[in-house]
Amino acid sequence: MKKTLVLLIICVHSILHAEEAVGKRVYIKGTDITVDSATLKNGLAMQNSLVLNRYIGGTTYLAIPATNRFKGKGIEIGLNSRHSGLLQTDFGISFATLFADSNYLAEYTSSTLRLTSGTTTTAVNLESLVSSEYTSNRLQTANIKLVENIFLFHDSSNNFLQGLALRLGGEIYGNEVKVTSPYYLTSAVSSGAFSLTGSGFSANTIDKIKYNEAYLNAVLGFGYTYKIAEGHNISFGYEYLKSVENGGNYENKTRSLFVLTPTLSLPSENKIKGKVNSELIGNRISIGYVFSVSENVSLGLSYSQTEATHRVVDSKVKEPGNILTILTGSSSGFNPLPFLLGSQPGFGPFPESKDFRKQIGFEVIYKF
């Protein structure tokens, strides 16, 4: 099914471009963008896919993100080519770098460590809540879009129907988030053989998450343009988006200092990483206004809003096996199974988040 949709897009594009273009417009657009990012939310919650792996090793784990919206400027360039009264091709490339205020991640962990000496088994219960603030947050987003517009009623005697078009095409759409937490707050409790309660602040640990995803989306929808007066045109559009191919990579890198003495510290680094497969389903609506300054130059204002669900369907993200799990979950004091399963790719559940983005654009159009 996926290959069929991609092949259909390629074939339609080839057929349409076989005709001689009768009208072209190039444009450059500056954009102001706000994004409530599913890429960020899924990236912060990705370690929840290791919940079952860790549970087998005797650890209960849950990550709960709290995020802010990204904001920033972007640019889009494109070409509209009218091949005939029936057919028009829209091609565009856009890119933006956005930033967000602080994002937060709360991680709850509970585990039991059993130590056996002879016939005596000592159990220690550990419970902690860690709250990290990500103070450096960047989202880069890009899109390459190719859509064919089929004006089914272009030769109609009804002026209101002439501007109605069926849209069919595709887009390559990608996001990458990078977030950094320079410190965390922690509250920990141990009970059983040893009882201890404490909380504190640590600036010895730097946590960095990088997560990227790319989609090949099929696009199906409709567009409508109408001339409200000489030199004044308005447009509306709706598009349904469905991914047909995808790919992504996740990496969580934690660097810390293990303090031995007031003057001696040892650096350490831990990585959790792997490839991720996900799917996207969503829709986009748009509205625009274009004013002709001259025969060849026009100015335009536009607004678009996109809502999509990003759902991780498979993950190869894994962490190094925790040697301490060999000593957990077994009264005999030795159990290698949790260690082996703990270093496997995540068994799930996998994250799923909504992505909301709004874009306001101002464009300059040149006709030739």
Side-chain angles (χ1 to χ4, degrees):
M1 180 63 179
K2 294 180 179 179
K3 293 183 179 179
T4 301
L5 288 172
V6 174
L7 183 60
L8 177 61
I9 293 171
I10 295 173
C11 289
V12 170
H13 179 249
S14 299
I15 293 171
L16 298 183
H17 277 273
E19 300 187 36
E20 182 180 357
V22 296
K24 294 183 179 180
R25 303 189 311 164
V26 294
Y27 67 88
I28 181 169
K29 179 189 297 185
T31 55
D32 184 86
I33 305 173
T34 301
V35 180
D36 184 5
S37 174
T39 305
L40 171 65
K41 288 179 281 190
N42 283 351
L44 291 176
M46 189 64 70
Q47 289 194 51
N48 282 338
S49 67
L50 299 170
V51 165
L52 293 180
N53 304 63
R54 292 169 175 172
Y55 186 77
I56 292 171
T59 298
T60 300
Y61 175 85
L62 179 64
I64 304 174
T67 62
N68 282 303
R69 295 188 175 189
F70 288 93
K71 296 180 181 179
K73 310 296 183 181
I75 189 170
E76 179 179 341
I77 57 175
L79 170 69
N80 307 127
S81 181
R82 190 70 178 254
H83 304 281
S84 65
L86 178 65
L87 305 171
Q88 176 182 299
T89 300
D90 292 343
F91 174 75
I93 300 175
S94 63
F95 177 81
T97 298
L98 314 174
F99 300 92
D101 293 332
S102 294
N103 293 297
Y104 300 89
L105 180 65
E107 297 175 283
Y108 170 80
T109 304
S110 176
S111 61
T112 300
L113 176 65
R114 292 185 175 89
L115 303 175
T116 301
S117 177
T119 59
T120 303
T121 299
T122 301
V124 180
N125 302 315
L126 306 173
E127 190 174 20
S128 68
L129 179 63
V130 176
S131 178
S132 300
E133 180 184 9
Y134 292 87
T135 57
S136 176
N137 306 279
R138 187 187 76 178
L139 167 66
Q140 290 185 310
T141 181
N143 187 296
I144 302 175
K145 182 178 177 181
L146 176 64
V147 172
E148 304 293 351
N149 298 278
I150 306 173
F151 291 87
L152 301 175
F153 306 101
H154 69 96
D155 55 355
S156 172
S157 58
N158 189 328
N159 292 334
F160 287 97
L161 293 178
Q162 291 178 2
L164 181 63
L166 174 68
R167 287 182 177 174
L168 174 65
E171 65 179 20
I172 299 173
Y173 168 61
N175 296 298
E176 180 178 84
V177 291
K178 291 183 178 180
V179 296
T180 301
S181 174
Y183 69 90
Y184 65 85
L185 301 174
T186 182
S187 176
V189 177
S190 65
S191 59
F194 305 98
S195 297
L196 179 66
T197 301
S199 60
F201 168 88
S202 175
N204 293 327
T205 299
I206 298 177
D207 187 58
K208 295 183 178 181
I209 296 176
K210 181 172 73 172
Y211 177 46
N212 61 64
E213 57 186 6
Y215 298 98
L216 173 61
N217 295 329
V219 178
L220 177 64
F222 68 88
Y224 182 74
T225 59
Y226 183 71
K227 183 169 70 174
I228 56 177
E230 190 63 35
H232 299 266
N233 294 272
I234 57 173
S235 63
F236 305 91
Y238 170 84
E239 295 170 339
Y240 172 77
L241 311 172
K242 176 68 171 69
S243 61
V244 294
E245 294 291 344
N246 68 85
N249 290 280
Y250 170 87
E251 179 182 273
N252 180 288
K253 183 187 298 183
T254 303
R255 293 179 178 176
S256 58
L257 290 176
F258 182 67
V259 180
L260 297 176
T261 69
T263 58
L264 179 60
S265 300
L266 295 178
S268 64
E269 182 176 283
N270 181 64
K271 284 186 180 181
I272 301 175
K273 62 180 182 178
K275 294 186 178 298
V276 177
N277 291 326
S278 55
E279 66 177 18
L280 180 150
I281 299 176
N283 58 80
R284 180 188 298 122
I285 59 173
S286 60
I287 182 172
Y289 165 74
V290 174
F291 167 66
S292 297
V293 179
S294 66
E295 183 178 352
N296 299 105
V297 178
S298 300
L299 302 177
L301 288 172
S302 63
Y303 171 83
S304 67
Q305 180 174 306
T306 305
E307 177 180 337
T309 298
H310 296 208
R311 184 170 71 92
V312 176
V313 295
D314 186 37
S315 170
K316 303 303 180 185
V317 173
K318 61 181 180 179
E319 60 184 339
N322 185 354
I323 194 68
L324 292 179
T325 59
I326 294 179
L327 305 176
T328 67
S330 174
S331 60
S332 64
F334 179 77
N335 183 9
L337 186 60
F339 174 79
L340 296 175
L341 293 178
S343 59
Q344 298 302 306
F347 300 139
F350 302 121
E352 175 181 334
S353 300
K354 287 279 190 179
D355 189 276
F356 299 93
R357 60 182 56 207
K358 297 179 180 179
Q359 174 179 299
I360 298 174
F362 174 77
E363 61 186 311
V364 179
I365 305 163
Y366 179 72
K367 305 175 184 178
F368 62 99

